[in-house]
Amino acid sequence: MIRLISILVGLGFTAAVLWAFGNGAYTAVTEGMGERTAEKAFHLHPHAPEGGYSFEGPFGKWDKQQLQRGYQVYKEVCAACHSLKFVAIRDLEQLGYSEAEVKAEAASFQVPGIDPNTGEATTRPGLPTDNFPSPYPNKIAAAAANNNAIPPDLSLMAKARHNGTHYIYSLLTGYADPAVYKNEAGETLAEAFPATMPGTGLHFNPYFANLNLAMAPPLNSDGQVTYAEGNPEPTVHQMAEDVSAFLTWTAEPTMVKRKQTGWPVLGFLLFASILAFLAYKNIWAGVKPKKAG
Amino acid sequence: MSFPWARQYEPQNGFMKWMDEKLPLPRFVYNAVGAGYPVPRNLNYMWNFGVLAGFFLMLQIVTGIILAMHYAANAEVAFGTTEHIMRDVNWGWLMRYAHANGASFFFIVIYLHIFRGFYFSSYKAPREMIWLLGVVIFLLMMATAFMGYVLPWGQMSFWGAKVITGLFGAIPLVGEPLQVWLLGGFAPDNAALNRFFSLHYLLPFVIVAVVILHIWALHIPGSSNPTGVEVKQESDTVPFHPYYTAKDGFGLGVVLIAYFAMVFFLPNYLGHPDNYIEANPLSTPAHIVPEWYFWPFYAILRAFTADFFFIPAKLMGVLAMFAAILVWFFLPWLDKSPVRSGHYRPTFKKFFWFGLIPAMAVLFWCGGAPAEEPYVMLSQIATAYYFLHFLVILPIVSSVEKTKPLPNSITEAVLGSDN
Amino acid sequence: MADTTGTATPDMIAAGEDGVRRRDFINIAAIGAAGVGGIATLVPLISQMAPSADVLAESSTEIDTGPIEAGQAVKAVFRKQPLFVKRLTTAEIEAANAVDVGSLRDPQTLAERTKEGHQDLLVTMGVCTHLGCVPLGAAEGEVKGEFGGYFCPCHGSHYDTAARIRKGPAPLNLEVPEYEFTSDTVIRVG
């Protein structure tokens, strides 16, 4: 009896899903399998800069000089619009700055405070214990100042996108003129998808998910940031590479420590597993049969 | 309850003797997972996963309690406290990655444990109760994992909570009020986050309780084995300790290598980048997917894209998704074959390897893919097979199949002679 | 593991003396490795409860003592606990110095409890050494106790003008935290 019911129920579910399949197949045959969209035709996957990054791979380490340069790019370019609210200024010490330098760096930011005498909201110079302050007092102010597109917080950007480090680098260096830029099929956006051409206040960038983003190219000329002596030329590519390295650090300051902890743990486990295997074989030695025929 | 040749616990010294009289806990452990539990001598590595699942349950509880010491279940600060754990708490990053990947590994070993049960018909009499309790554990795990994923309050947390509670909205008449009641509001917010945290902390202990029942029920008939032939004599068994403690110890080592390789080198591989964006009720991620262990059921949910007579597509999908797990409860009564092990059931074996396993693989793959062709059509075919397999093929095959001859005993299967 | 060799199975292979010893060694080594792993695991599990980096970073506080006038005190916060910074009047300093140090429960002179050249600035924790209540006497109008310093209302401990315990259950003087003058008026506590 239960099997009869089960067969009926089973056939019911099967019929329902095959009915849905039939509907889908009919649509696919009559209308084709999905439209070719501008995103599909033009969107590019992020790529690494030449030579990659020092922190990539299982043995990767931070290049502190590079992180310091990246911090400089963040501070002088990105910080005008983007917050870094989950990162504490004190953590800059991990980039190789001294305690006094971090204190001076902190004091160069104005953070929200309270006037001790009147209790009114005011600003005060930052302390190392503060997090990086937001450039806008609140979301509405951020939206109002940016044509309704709120600049996202950058603390975790490198983890909040697929292949985030490369995404940041590719996005920063990937702006193009949609009238000139050709995709793999040799088309320009202007001829292939005129409806998708960026409107006012939008900028074409094939690395951005829907191709047009509100942020104007932030790094637009070589030497926009002046690096200290002994550093590479601040070309747009170099600055993009450095700031994406810095934002990888802000997204996960413990990354290198994590990998360095991983090796001894795995080494130990391998050793312990071999011992466990030998002990297992040992204990079963008397019992484990020779398979007879 | 126990085999007559099971070893008897003997206290080794005066203290243990005193303990045995007052609280025979050492005796209990000895009989449960010690030398006092005779286990079939022919278990293969597929029988490691029960103990491993127990290990991961404990790991999740320990790391979870630690995370709860630093986390705050408030929509304003939940995302920030998660980052506080990652950045400032001593070893906090390790605790969080261990917990997040621990959930994945818990599900990996549980899926292997369940599919071991499918292939060797571990659900059959006299082990129906073990199986039913196991399905209950799986349902509790899914609820716990879902609520845990909401806690970091990222974009996937928020939209996952919204979409999954939205499933209840498909229920006729009571659906919408039920969804509002579940969330304690009209969209996920503090009320939902707090109750999810509370239940996420509670349910693992309920799982522990059901696991104890699961193991208790196991000790009544004893463990099944790859031949499916019941234990008949002492030479069919070995004591659990040291034989299977040693084997499980080795298995644990191997699984821990894989687990820690993920934790230390690819901790976010099984996660989703969108969950590193703070929850934003005004903006939906382009592509909402649950965690990978829900993908087969998510694929079944999405496979029902057309209304079926008077049943709306959305309701049909929800019904099918729940039915996909609920059918497991009925397996002991749907599969009437007198033979347990798939080794001796040639027709069943073909349907298992060339039907169920590919269908599950397709469902896993399509559940994580965007809701577009060809994934929808593939998941529809796989869903159809899934229901046919359990509800139609299994009952019919099990009654008409001609099975291979079974060995007389486990000893015979192992040694070639039954002595 | 002792019963490894003692398990009576019919097809047991009799192991030689040396074989037995080597096998026991491997079993013990495997158990030992598991033990080492277990103990190593405790390190993160325990240290996660120690103060986190953000708490440790806030473990020093700077206070400008310039605006505090003689006879006044301010309550600051140091490591999430109250800190009393008090500018003593000449009368209070004299009263503190007039006490026979030998007769005190916790013998300390005012000079030992202040910085050289700043004997009028008394910096103490606002935490009673008895059971941790916050003593009265720092804010204007609060009871200063029988000795004109601080008074803890919880169990009636009286502190004098140098915040030394004079009467009541508290065993020690109010704690003077580590601090230093970073300029003429600014102190950095911790």
Side-chain angles (χ1 to χ4, degrees), chain A residues 113-123:
Chain A
I114 291 166
D115 187 304
N117 299 316
T118 64
E120 273 171 38
T122 169
T123 58

Side-chain angles (χ1 to χ4, degrees), chain A residues 51-64:
Chain A
Y53 293 91
S54 63
F55 50 79
E56 290 178 312
F59 297 100
K61 285 205 172 73
W62 301 118
D63 172 353
K64 289 187 182 173

Side-chain angles (χ1 to χ4, degrees), chain B residues 70-380:
Chain B
H70 304 281
Y71 168 82
N74 178 300
E76 291 290 317
V77 298
F79 191 84
T81 57
T82 309
E83 278 309 307
H84 163 70
I85 291 169
M86 292 298 290
R87 288 156 197 272
D88 291 332
V89 173
N90 302 307
W91 296 100
W93 55 272
L94 177 58
M95 296 298 124
R96 173 154 181 263
Y97 281 151
H99 196 67
N101 287 285
S104 284
F105 272 74
F106 196 3
F107 272 97
I108 290 172
V109 298
I110 280 290
Y111 274 119
L112 290 168
H113 193 57
I114 291 172
F115 275 77
R116 192 283 317 269
F118 286 151
Y119 183 75
F120 293 102
S121 317
S122 303
Y123 43 77
K124 274 189 198 155
R127 296 186 181 79
E128 305 97 311
M129 186 51 81
I130 312 172
W131 177 259
L132 297 182
L133 291 166
V135 180
V136 170
I137 292 170
F138 184 66
L139 288 171
L140 286 169
M141 277 176 66
M142 292 179 92
T144 310
F146 160 67
M147 287 188 278
Y149 196 58
V150 175
L151 302 183
W153 209 241
Q155 274 289 67
M156 280 296 171
S157 302
F158 179 90
W159 291 97
K162 191 154 187 172
V163 169
I164 299 298
T165 54
L167 297 181
F168 292 91
I171 299 170
L173 300 174
V174 295
E176 221 164 297
L178 182 64
Q179 183 187 355
V180 170
W181 176 78
L182 281 172
L183 288 173
F186 303 98
D189 202 353
N190 262 332
L193 181 58
N194 260 307
R195 68 189 56 177
F196 283 6
F197 180 53
S198 172
L199 292 172
H200 182 71
Y201 206 120
L202 168 72
L203 289 185
F205 297 97
V206 179
I207 293 177
V208 168
V210 185
V211 165
I212 289 170
L213 298 181
H214 186 69
I215 296 172
W216 185 4
L218 171 70
H219 279 69
I220 291 171
S223 301
S224 66
N225 71 84
T227 63
V229 178
E230 287 296 325
V231 167
K232 287 179 183 150
Q233 58 205 4
E234 185 171 5
S235 65
D236 289 347
T237 66
V238 290
F240 189 86
H241 179 74
Y243 291 96
Y244 285 107
T245 41
K247 191 172 185 178
D248 286 330
F250 169 58
L252 179 64
V254 172
V255 170
L256 283 185
I257 289 174
Y259 167 67
F260 278 113
M262 290 298 289
V263 167
F264 286 112
F265 296 101
L266 293 166
N268 294 306
Y269 181 76
L270 295 170
H272 201 284
D274 282 80
N275 226 27
Y276 281 110
I277 304 170
E278 201 167 357
N280 179 357
L282 302 180
S283 152
T284 312
H287 172 201
I288 300 180
V289 279
E291 288 289 80
W292 70 266
Y293 34 79
F294 293 130
W295 286 352
F297 303 102
Y298 194 57
I300 291 174
L301 170 78
R302 291 193 304 186
F304 292 80
T305 49
D307 294 351
F308 187 60
F309 296 109
F310 55 93
I311 311 174
K314 183 181 175 187
L315 176 61
M316 198 65 216
V318 174
L319 285 177
M321 186 182 73
F322 285 113
I325 300 173
L326 295 182
V327 323
W328 295 358
F329 277 115
F330 297 95
L331 284 185
W333 297 279
L334 296 180
D335 179 356
K336 281 313 228 190
S337 173
V339 174
R340 294 198 184 91
S341 169
H343 287 339
Y344 303 97
R345 302 171 66 188
T347 318
F348 166 84
K349 194 173 171 176
K350 284 194 192 90
F351 279 109
F352 181 85
W353 287 114
F354 301 110
L356 185 63
I357 294 294
M360 282 305 287
V362 168
L363 289 174
F364 259 115
W365 178 46
C366 293
E372 54 191 46
E373 301 301 354
Y375 306 111
V376 177
M377 281 156 83
L378 279 173
S379 59
Q380 284 164 339

Side-chain angles (χ1 to χ4, degrees), chain A residues 3 6-7 10 19 21 23 85-86 90 159-161 250 252 258 262 269 273 277 280 283-284 287 289 292, chain B residues 41 45 79 87-88 93 97 243 247 250 253 260 264 267 273 276 278 306-307 334 336 380 391 414-415:
Chain A
R3 278 183 284 173
S6 112
I7 289 170
W19 170 248
F21 175 79
N23 273 312
K85 64 180 177 182
F86 297 111
R90 63 187 146 85
K159 285 204 302 193
R161 298 287 183 278
T250 63
E252 192 169 358
R258 174 177 62 136
L269 278 171
S273 297
F277 180 73
Y280 158 51
I283 286 166
W284 280 80
V287 190
Chain B
R41 62 189 293 174
Y45 279 108
F79 191 84
R87 288 156 197 272
D88 291 332
W93 55 272
Y97 281 151
Y243 291 96
K247 191 172 185 178
F250 169 58
F260 278 113
F264 286 112
Y276 281 110
E278 201 167 357
D307 294 351
L334 296 180
K336 281 313 228 190
Q380 284 164 339
L391 292 171
V414 174
L415 297 178

Side-chain angles (χ1 to χ4, degrees), chain A residues 201-239:
Chain A
L202 292 178
H203 308 269
F204 175 71
N205 191 324
Y207 294 98
F208 191 63
N210 56 17
L211 303 180
N212 297 313
L213 81 165
M215 175 170 73
L219 300 173
N220 42 36
S221 62
D222 293 349
Q224 191 173 345
V225 170
T226 312
Y227 284 164
E229 199 104 347
N231 282 303
E233 279 300 299
T235 60
V236 168
H237 281 264
Q238 185 65 43
M239 289 186 289

Side-chain angles (χ1 to χ4, degrees), chain A residues 5 31 47 76-77 107 132 143 155 164 168 172 179 192 222 248 290:
Chain A
I5 297 171
E31 290 168 28
H47 62 89
E76 293 179 23
V77 182
F132 283 98
S155 319
I168 296 167
L172 289 175
D222 293 349
T248 308
K290 315 258 177 304

